[in-house]
Amino acid sequence: PCWWVGRLLLERRRIVSICCIMGDVKELPGMPLVGLGCWKADKGVTETVVYEAIKAGYRHIDSAADYGNEKEVGAGIRKAIAEGLCTRSDLWVTSKLWNTYHRREHVPLACQRTLDDLGLDYVDLYLVHFPISLKFVPFEECYPPEWTDKPGNAGTMILDPVPYRETWEAMEGLKASGKAKHIGVSNLTVQSLMDILSYCNVKPEVNQFESHVYLQQAALVGFCQANGIAVTCFSPFGAKSYFALGMATEADDCFADPVLKSIAEAHGKTVGQVCLRFQIQRGCSVVPKSEKPERLRENLDVFGFDLTSEEMQCIATLERGRRFNDPGNFAKGWGAPGSMIASIGCPIYG
């Protein structure tokens, strides 16, 4: 369907090869390839959305303390279990350690708060949300504390120089305790992964990061899979997650891309389903977010077709390196006047 793309430059062909070779890599055993993303889900609808998702067949729920809706996520899970739609062991529940809890003594406290809010005895996967450590904020002061020292991100970001190794060793303790069945990382680059692999006793089992057709991160995907680290892609629809935040424009919308529209038409699918299928065929899991029952079902319906090798290659050529979720950009507004953060944000991908 995209014959007009033509021959690519040598470097593009190399990237295509990385994308397609990794298709046979298995994901983390037990973790469903499609999950429900809970980021930006409004508290008023979260319980219903989680319940409806489970009812539609979802068994993977991707949550986080920072999303501010874990009590509602837990209520939706309990309702589904109470009605016999599933058992706890049927579900894969992921949560994440927020930036203000990176010190060794705060990691288990943060995990327990998540478990209390979810109403669970354990999470299936616990991730370090960002490689950014911020000044500790007590629960009674503000929860979740977000990015600054005042509620509603009304203050400034205050960094706390906690070694990532200290945080990871505490994460290993959570796995040993059984409160987290699996542990992993989020938003880590290859260099950061190489560092953690040099000292860890338990290596990260998952790396969750932004990936969509305009930010495919083929090398990072390849490194993770070559080292036995499963990949979960957040924001798999790209700009769709960022329009409301003012962080994307219509020019960034992959749903209008003629290549994707042509491939979708050829399979009788939507562009969104093609975007998800592309990641799954690369051996990655995805956590798209939706509050609409029909879209929830659509996002789950991505296993009845395969993209051809040519189609995978065509999609690989769409790479733009377009990152939306970048604290090197959005954090600048939270830096104190004249500070490093005000100047360059937190450029963790720099």
Side-chain angles (χ1 to χ4, degrees), residues 58-78:
Y58 284 78
R59 294 297 180 265
H60 178 177
I61 309 297
D62 184 75
S63 183
D66 183 57
Y67 300 166
N69 54 15
E70 289 199 310
K71 288 184 178 180
E72 291 74 20
V73 170
I77 290 173
R78 287 192 298 277

Side-chain angles (χ1 to χ4, degrees), residues 60-126:
H60 178 177
I61 309 297
D62 184 75
S63 183
D66 183 57
Y67 300 166
N69 54 15
E70 289 199 310
K71 288 184 178 180
E72 291 74 20
V73 170
I77 290 173
R78 287 192 298 277
K79 181 178 180 182
I81 292 175
E83 293 190 10
L85 298 179
C86 64
T87 65
R88 170 64 186 96
S89 61
D90 293 330
L91 298 176
W92 181 283
V93 181
T94 296
S95 188
K96 306 175 188 75
L97 176 79
W98 186 237
N99 304 341
T100 50
Y101 310 123
H102 276 212
R103 289 203 171 273
R104 188 186 311 275
E105 64 270 23
H106 298 148
V107 172
L109 298 178
C111 182
Q112 188 59 54
R113 175 61 188 260
T114 276
L115 293 176
D116 292 343
D117 284 351
L118 291 171
L120 302 176
D121 296 325
Y122 66 91
V123 287
D124 297 274
L125 175 64
Y126 200 52

Side-chain angles (χ1 to χ4, degrees), residues 132-149:
I132 299 172
S133 56
L134 300 178
K135 179 183 176 182
F136 174 66
V137 178
F139 297 154
E140 59 272 17
E141 232 175 79
C142 182
Y143 189 87
E146 301 181 88
W147 289 87
T148 76
D149 61 344

Side-chain angles (χ1 to χ4, degrees), residues 2-322:
C2 48
W3 54 269
W4 47 268
V5 172
R7 292 272 181 193
L8 302 173
L9 296 173
L10 180 60
E11 178 65 10
R12 278 292 175 85
R13 288 203 299 268
R14 185 187 70 82
I15 293 174
V16 166
S17 297
I18 293 173
C19 288
C20 297
I21 288 171
M22 292 301 171
D24 291 333
V25 175
K26 301 299 183 183
E27 268 294 322
L28 185 62
M31 183 170 72
L33 287 169
V34 178
L36 173 69
C38 295
W39 180 45
K40 298 195 291 95
D42 185 84
K43 283 186 178 183
V45 300
T46 297
E47 177 181 347
T48 298
V49 169
V50 170
Y51 168 80
E52 290 295 337
I54 295 173
K55 188 176 181 179
Y58 284 78
R59 294 297 180 265
H60 178 177
I61 309 297
D62 184 75
S63 183
D66 183 57
Y67 300 166
N69 54 15
E70 289 199 310
K71 288 184 178 180
E72 291 74 20
V73 170
I77 290 173
R78 287 192 298 277
K79 181 178 180 182
I81 292 175
E83 293 190 10
L85 298 179
C86 64
T87 65
R88 170 64 186 96
S89 61
D90 293 330
L91 298 176
W92 181 283
V93 181
T94 296
S95 188
K96 306 175 188 75
L97 176 79
W98 186 237
N99 304 341
T100 50
Y101 310 123
H102 276 212
R103 289 203 171 273
R104 188 186 311 275
E105 64 270 23
H106 298 148
V107 172
L109 298 178
C111 182
Q112 188 59 54
R113 175 61 188 260
T114 276
L115 293 176
D116 292 343
D117 284 351
L118 291 171
L120 302 176
D121 296 325
Y122 66 91
V123 287
D124 297 274
L125 175 64
Y126 200 52
L127 306 175
V128 182
H129 206 148
F130 279 95
I132 299 172
S133 56
L134 300 178
K135 179 183 176 182
F136 174 66
V137 178
F139 297 154
E140 59 272 17
E141 232 175 79
C142 182
Y143 189 87
E146 301 181 88
W147 289 87
T148 76
D149 61 344
K150 293 182 181 178
N153 286 329
T156 57
M157 285 180 62
I158 302 176
L159 297 176
D160 185 20
V162 182
Y164 201 89
R165 180 170 186 167
E166 176 179 328
T167 305
W168 187 251
E169 289 173 350
M171 293 286 288
E172 291 176 332
L174 289 179
K175 179 167 184 176
S177 74
K179 291 189 175 182
K181 299 297 184 183
H182 303 272
I183 53 176
V185 296
S186 185
N187 299 299
L188 284 199
T189 63
V190 168
Q191 183 178 9
S192 297
L193 289 169
M194 290 175 69
D195 181 56
I196 194 172
L197 289 173
S198 74
Y199 60 73
C200 64
N201 291 311
V202 178
K203 72 180 180 182
E205 295 169 271
V206 175
N207 186 14
Q208 182 179 127
F209 50 85
E210 179 184 349
S211 182
H212 43 81
V213 295
Y214 290 163
L215 183 70
Q216 297 175 24
Q217 306 218 63
L220 179 55
V221 170
F223 180 87
C224 288
Q225 295 177 333
N227 284 277
I229 301 170
V231 172
T232 297
C233 303
F234 73 74
S235 299
F237 299 143
K240 292 295 186 186
S241 297
Y242 300 92
F243 287 138
L245 301 174
M247 298 165 66
T249 68
E250 292 297 328
D252 296 315
D253 188 5
C254 67
F255 278 43
D257 195 294
V259 172
L260 297 177
K261 290 170 73 173
S262 177
I263 293 173
E265 183 179 358
H267 289 276
K269 296 293 183 178
T270 66
V271 169
Q273 288 172 312
V274 170
C275 289
L276 298 180
R277 185 67 206 174
F278 171 72
Q279 300 289 12
I280 289 169
Q281 284 189 215
R282 294 203 300 166
C284 304
S285 59
V286 289
V287 286
K289 176 255 182 184
S290 182
E291 297 176 358
K292 299 178 180 179
E294 64 274 15
R295 190 61 57 78
L296 288 171
R297 292 190 292 271
E298 178 184 304
N299 291 345
L300 198 58
D301 183 22
V302 291
F303 297 100
F305 72 106
D306 289 298
L307 300 175
T308 66
S309 176
E310 180 194 19
E311 288 167 342
M312 290 289 288
Q313 292 173 356
C314 285
I315 295 172
T317 69
L318 301 180
E319 174 67 72
R320 296 183 182 180
R322 179 63 171 99

